Amino acid sequence: MSATNDAFLETFPVTLRDAATNWLPAPWNWLAQGLIAVVAVLAIFGSLFAILTLVERKALGRVQNRPGPNRTGLPYTARLPWLKFTEGKIFGLGQPMADGIKMLTKEDIVPREADQVLHFIAPVAMLAMSLMTFAVIPFGRNLVPVELDASVLYFFAAGAATELAVFMAGWGSRNKFALLAAMRALAQLISYELPLILSFVPVVMIAGSLSTVGIVAAQSSWHWGFIPHWYVLTPWGFAGFLIFMVSALAESNRSPFDLPEAESELIAGHLTEYSGFKYALFFMAEYLGMTALSGMAVTLFLGGWNAPLPFLQFIPSYVWFAVKLLTLLMGFIWIRATLPRLRMDQLMHLSWKFLVPLCLVNLANTTVWHLTASLPLAVRWLLCAVIIVAPFTLIGRSLTKGVAPRTYRYAE
Amino acid sequence: MIAFAVIALLILASASLAMCLRNLVHSVLLLVANWAGIAVFYLWAGAEFVAFAQLLVYVGAVSMLSLFAVLLTRRSFHDLDIIPESVSRATWALLTAGAVAGVLIGTILGSPFGNVTEAAPAVSMRQLGEELAGTHVAGLLVVGIILTVALLGGVVIASKDKEDKS
Amino acid sequence: MNPLQLCLILSSLLFAVGLAAALARTHAILVLLGVELMLNAANLNFIAFWRYGPPASPADGIMFVVFSIAVAAAEAAVGLALIIAVYRHQKNIRLQEANRLKG
């Protein structure tokens, strides 16, 4: 491992940052390093957001058997010899730019009856809060913007404030659809906050640390040299990961939990009265929130920036983080394309009657795992798997009694 | 010291403004700002864990409870503006509060505190966890029971009675 | 004036604001939030003494505040549930009119 620690590519971002700031006196040096981290996060995740919107539209198009955006090109690209065959359209890669320009130049409409202050603060607060969560995610070895002792707690404290922004948007618009949708969104956010937080408590218990750096470090070795120590590969970790991802879907208001924005029922939810750049800010905050939650899932369960196999360590750690992050994001898009929306009562039941009890069982399960450390790994693994799978089946069966399995009758 | 002045201004201004406004929703949102300001004070004092707990509990949960309560106890958008209180009541309240504040501040200024410790006490997350699950485990259990009982009680009180279907 | 006194003055002013609100307003939610403010002022004191006071066990002040925040959350939940119940009975939540024990 020591050979890879100081490989050129591995340390490159930190070297670059130090080279840029070392000529400054000590107190300014610290400030400049912080600023560089902020600018880097803004630039990387800002452009990731732009690319993600295009990828999502393309992927949705694929799933729904249509081409997706493929016309918007960039000027002058048709003159490049190796891009000549695209006739300047380059597979629709110019779409994010066109969208951005459209959003910026649209008229910003504020309803006359609206609460002007809240209507203005809501998108700003939303985006600020979702950007703040990026501060504690370790993007690679030594690549964490702020190292805190309680960084996991910080992440969820900053995330909790987005609920207020949703309320401000719904209330400030003075629109019944906006208010109704905001209430729906709040009920959903509060209900899923519980399983979201309970699902990673086992990780904190086993790693013995609330710091993201510590949790990644606890996952950085291998059983017998080839099975990584990632928490997703333990029974409680796998259950926690699944619950975390389902709750993350709900927290970021994505399909199949997109009831707050259910466009066929509530126009556009709490965003009804927003237009132009404010709407774009909300849109951006939603994608950034999804990215941050995926990053946290990677950190907590998927081993963070660790390589899956020892001999793959020559690839820089931030590349591994990016690969895992993009995989999760593609999963989000895939789920959006395939699953229909839930009903409001189903949504609530899923959280309170299914996910929360499972989380509590999982906590006890983790205790069993911790106390049976002397048993051989396979026995321990099977025991814990039974402890979590049995309640899953039992609760699932009792909740779907009389409903599932569904029978389908096709028209003649 | 400048940081302290800014934090103190944020806390006091948001609290007093919140208590003077007519619009309830604005009041609650300003109080949320006040709670966030208190969290910033904890951060300034070096109590990271408490600051994040304050944010999670107050800004995340209690604010939502209050906002829901505000919205559930009104009938229309215009119902929210509260009827102003009587002048005598406000005067008496302000006089009492002023007197209490005067006595408190007088005592604080008059009592000898000796030398203050300059360095913040260093306490790691692990230490906190061990204290919480070791020395204070009885308190932790009691708090857990209190929270469960409060949750159940809240649901029972706020849920509709079976007979009145109004 | 040393920093401990400054922190204590801040918290007593916050306490006074909460007290004034709890006494002056008749709207039940505002009264409850005033009480909540006073609790927060007390928490401020714990942290101030933890930071500047005579050295004790390093985690004691924090423990106090953590427990106090948990109890405050329980108090807010029950208080707001009571307010909703009162509203259901008398269709407003002015405290002066909530003077009957029987609903």
Side-chain angles (χ1 to χ4, degrees):
Chain A
M1 244 175 116
S2 58
T4 55
N5 267 346
D6 34 282
F8 172 69
L9 274 178
E10 182 66 55
T11 54
F12 180 62
V14 180
T15 324
L16 197 67
R17 187 196 68 190
D18 289 345
T21 56
N22 268 351
W23 54 276
L24 287 163
W28 293 102
N29 194 347
W30 174 80
L31 191 68
Q33 291 193 352
L35 276 180
I36 285 181
V38 171
V39 171
V41 166
L42 277 181
I44 292 174
F45 287 97
S47 41
L48 180 67
F49 156 69
I51 297 166
L52 208 58
T53 52
L54 178 68
V55 170
E56 171 146 34
R57 292 176 66 179
K58 282 265 188 196
L60 284 184
R62 273 301 142 207
V63 175
Q64 293 159 0
N65 215 355
R66 58 187 170 85
N70 62 354
R71 299 292 173 86
T72 325
L74 292 169
Y76 305 116
T77 45
R79 294 195 195 159
L80 298 170
W82 64 90
L83 281 175
K84 205 152 231 169
F85 71 98
T86 62
E87 297 168 4
K89 290 176 185 165
I90 52 167
F91 319 110
L93 275 179
Q95 190 68 38
M97 294 223 187
D99 281 343
I101 293 169
K102 183 187 84 177
M103 286 296 189
L104 268 173
T105 51
K106 261 188 169 178
E107 187 188 355
D108 177 32
I109 302 166
V110 181
R112 193 182 47 200
E113 280 290 300
D115 197 322
Q116 311 283 338
V117 185
L118 294 188
H119 192 268
F120 175 77
I121 292 177
V124 181
M126 185 97 172
L127 187 64
M129 289 306 163
S130 50
L131 277 174
M132 270 169 69
T133 51
F134 282 97
V136 292
I137 299 177
F139 301 109
R141 189 177 279 126
N142 304 324
L143 275 186
V144 51
V146 185
E147 219 179 315
L148 283 176
D149 213 10
S151 42
V152 180
L153 208 59
Y154 164 86
F155 183 90
F156 292 97
T162 55
E163 294 164 9
L164 278 173
V166 170
F167 174 82
M168 286 193 252
W171 172 258
S173 301
R174 287 294 157 93
N175 174 316
K176 60 177 172 248
F177 290 111
L179 189 60
L180 266 176
M183 289 296 110
R184 268 192 185 191
L186 286 183
Q188 173 177 338
L189 287 176
I190 292 171
S191 312
Y192 280 86
E193 189 105 356
L194 213 59
L196 187 76
I197 288 181
L198 280 176
S199 65
F200 73 77
V201 171
V203 172
V204 175
M205 278 163 70
I206 294 289
S209 165
L210 260 179
S211 117
T212 44
V213 178
I215 289 173
V216 172
Q219 303 180 62
S220 62
S221 52
W222 287 269
H223 289 296
W224 308 306
F226 68 95
I227 299 179
H229 242 140
W230 301 354
Y231 291 136
V232 73
L233 296 178
T234 57
W236 51 268
F238 187 67
F241 176 68
L242 287 186
I243 297 171
F244 189 92
M245 288 318 281
V246 171
S247 317
L249 264 178
E251 283 286 308
S252 48
N253 285 344
R254 299 271 306 179
S255 175
F257 303 107
D258 60 347
L259 288 113
E261 287 159 45
E263 58 271 14
S264 45
E265 302 164 39
L266 287 166
I267 313 182
H270 54 277
L271 309 179
T272 306
E273 295 293 356
Y274 282 92
S275 57
F277 200 60
K278 286 181 188 161
Y279 181 80
L281 286 185
F282 269 113
F283 201 60
M284 194 166 172
E286 183 184 314
Y287 274 84
L288 287 178
M290 181 173 86
T291 316
L293 277 170
S294 306
M296 207 56 189
V298 169
T299 306
L300 289 172
F301 297 102
L302 297 180
W305 41 258
N306 285 305
L309 289 168
F311 67 87
L312 287 173
Q313 279 183 327
F314 68 91
I315 299 174
S317 55
Y318 46 88
V319 175
W320 281 119
F321 183 85
V323 167
K324 293 173 191 174
L325 182 68
L326 292 178
T327 316
L328 285 189
L329 288 175
M330 287 310 291
F332 271 115
I333 294 173
W334 188 7
I335 289 173
R336 170 169 177 188
T338 32
L339 289 182
R341 188 182 301 142
L342 262 75
R343 225 168 47 211
M344 196 64 195
D345 58 325
Q346 293 170 333
L347 181 90
M348 289 296 159
H349 286 187
L350 180 66
S351 170
W352 291 104
K353 292 188 178 170
F354 193 62
L355 294 181
V356 173
L358 273 187
C359 279
L360 296 176
V361 171
N362 205 22
L363 269 180
N365 193 11
T366 318
T367 324
V368 173
W369 177 271
H370 185 69
L371 293 179
T372 53
S374 53
L375 292 180
L377 192 63
V379 181
R380 205 175 160 203
W381 209 95
L382 271 179
L383 179 68
C384 286
V386 169
I387 292 180
I388 189 67
V389 169
F392 174 84
T393 342
L394 282 177
I395 303 176
R397 280 280 168 80
S398 67
L399 280 183
T400 52
K401 192 177 277 174
V403 185
R406 227 173 250 188
T407 49
Y408 294 96
R409 283 190 305 275
Y410 297 102
E412 294 291 314
Chain B
M1 266 310 105
I2 304 169
F4 178 79
V6 173
I7 296 168
L9 192 72
L10 171 65
I11 292 179
L12 290 177
S14 55
S16 18
L17 205 59
M19 292 308 167
C20 298
L21 284 181
R22 280 285 137 70
N23 188 325
L24 249 181
V25 172
H26 286 180
S27 286
V28 175
L29 287 175
L30 271 171
L31 271 178
V32 173
N34 174 53
W35 291 329
I38 290 171
V40 177
F41 173 85
Y42 293 157
L43 267 186
W44 174 81
E48 231 177 50
F49 179 74
V50 179
F52 298 146
Q54 167 94 6
L55 274 183
L56 261 180
V57 172
Y58 276 100
V59 178
V62 176
S63 64
M64 282 301 123
L65 270 179
S66 326
L67 286 172
F68 266 92
V70 168
L71 291 189
L72 285 175
T73 52
R74 80 198 167 99
R75 264 158 282 168
S76 70
F77 271 111
H78 306 286
D79 207 26
L80 273 180
D81 294 346
I82 325 159
I83 317 149
E85 332 299 346
S86 64
V87 179
S88 70
R89 190 184 172 87
T91 326
W92 277 114
L94 282 179
L95 278 180
T96 320
V100 169
V103 170
L104 280 176
I105 292 176
T107 323
I108 290 165
L109 289 180
S111 37
F113 278 111
N115 290 330
V116 295
T117 41
E118 280 309 319
V123 53
S124 71
M125 235 34 234
R126 175 169 284 279
Q127 229 174 319
L128 269 184
E130 276 163 5
E131 284 257 332
L132 199 59
T135 329
H136 301 281
V137 70
L140 190 68
L141 289 178
V142 171
V143 163
I145 294 169
I146 289 179
L147 281 175
T148 318
V149 171
L151 177 71
L152 292 178
V155 171
V156 169
I157 294 170
S159 65
K160 262 199 179 123
D161 295 339
K162 278 273 155 49
E163 52 266 38
D164 66 69
K165 280 270 162 53
S166 57
Chain C
M1 207 190 302
N2 63 33
L4 176 58
Q5 277 173 325
L6 275 179
C7 293
L8 293 185
I9 289 173
L10 170 65
S11 86
S12 35
L13 284 176
L14 189 62
F15 185 86
V17 172
L19 185 64
L23 289 178
R25 309 309 293 264
T26 49
H27 196 281
I29 293 178
L30 277 177
V31 173
L32 189 71
L33 292 177
V35 174
E36 207 60 51
L37 268 187
M38 292 195 264
L39 256 171
N40 267 305
N43 288 352
L44 266 176
N45 265 3
F46 280 127
I47 290 297
F49 277 115
W50 167 80
R51 171 71 176 79
Y52 291 112
S57 162
D60 272 356
I62 293 183
M63 285 300 128
F64 265 115
V65 181
V66 168
F67 285 133
S68 155
I69 287 178
V71 173
E75 175 240 320
V78 176
L80 291 168
L82 277 175
I83 288 173
I84 289 174
V86 166
Y87 174 78
R88 195 167 293 136
H89 280 301
Q90 61 180 42
K91 295 299 169 217
N92 71 46
I93 48 174
R94 288 176 60 81
L95 280 181
Q96 276 72 28
E97 294 165 33
N99 50 12
R100 284 177 308 157
L101 275 178
K102 199 165 181 298

